[in-house]
Amino acid sequence: MRNAIFILFFAAIPVAGWAHDHHDMEQMESAPAIPSDSLHHLDVPLTDQHGKTFRLADEHAPATLLTMFYGDCQIACPIILESVKRTIDALPAAQRNQARALLISLNPGIDTPAKLDQLAKSHGMPMSRYRFAVARNDEQTRQLAAALG
């Protein structure tokens, strides 16, 4: 099975993944290797809206829509969030149930996990499908933005 990360408003980059059944060693051995230019190799810790730390490599959905935004933006960023929702909602049911969205803040000094949680709730974006996250600092945020182009 292939995993893919799609970057909304930046570029679409297919990313090979590994098998979802981590207990089946035979299936894991036959899974394709992650390409060397995959975003899964970017070792930037992120914190989600519930305070859980993770890395891009931890995202195992068959398809992940990824975008960056400013949580305190009142003009363009709400449009981005709603575009993400519309994109996910437009998928056929079977694909929609396997798709996830990862929304990464461009403003680690302002967008705390608590603020991201409030933002997700105000836009009706449950964590079962939409994960809001923030890097620890501006340098890591710039590293993510540069990797996304």
Side-chain angles (χ1 to χ4, degrees), residues 3-97:
N3 288 356
I5 293 180
F6 299 98
I7 300 124
L8 184 64
F9 301 117
F10 294 97
I13 303 171
V15 182
W18 46 88
H20 286 271
D21 184 2
H22 298 285
H23 301 291
D24 186 349
M25 292 305 292
E26 181 178 313
Q27 189 175 6
M28 286 178 61
E29 290 174 1
S30 66
I34 297 172
S36 62
D37 62 349
S38 169
L39 292 173
H40 282 105
H41 292 297
L42 191 59
D43 194 32
V44 173
L46 298 166
T47 304
D48 70 19
Q49 70 259 45
H50 295 293
K52 182 179 177 190
T53 301
F54 70 100
R55 288 174 166 56
L56 292 177
D58 299 330
E59 289 294 305
H60 296 293
T64 298
L65 181 68
L66 190 152
T67 192
M68 297 186 81
F69 70 100
Y70 289 95
D72 60 348
C73 166
Q74 299 300 312
I75 299 169
C77 293
I79 294 169
I80 292 171
L81 299 182
E82 291 305 314
S83 293
V84 168
K85 278 179 58 176
R86 282 194 313 274
T87 301
I88 297 287
D89 290 345
L91 294 171
Q95 293 171 340
R96 183 174 48 243
N97 291 334

Side-chain angles (χ1 to χ4, degrees), residues 14 45 48 78 105 120 135 138 141 146:
D48 70 19
S105 168
D138 288 335
T141 302

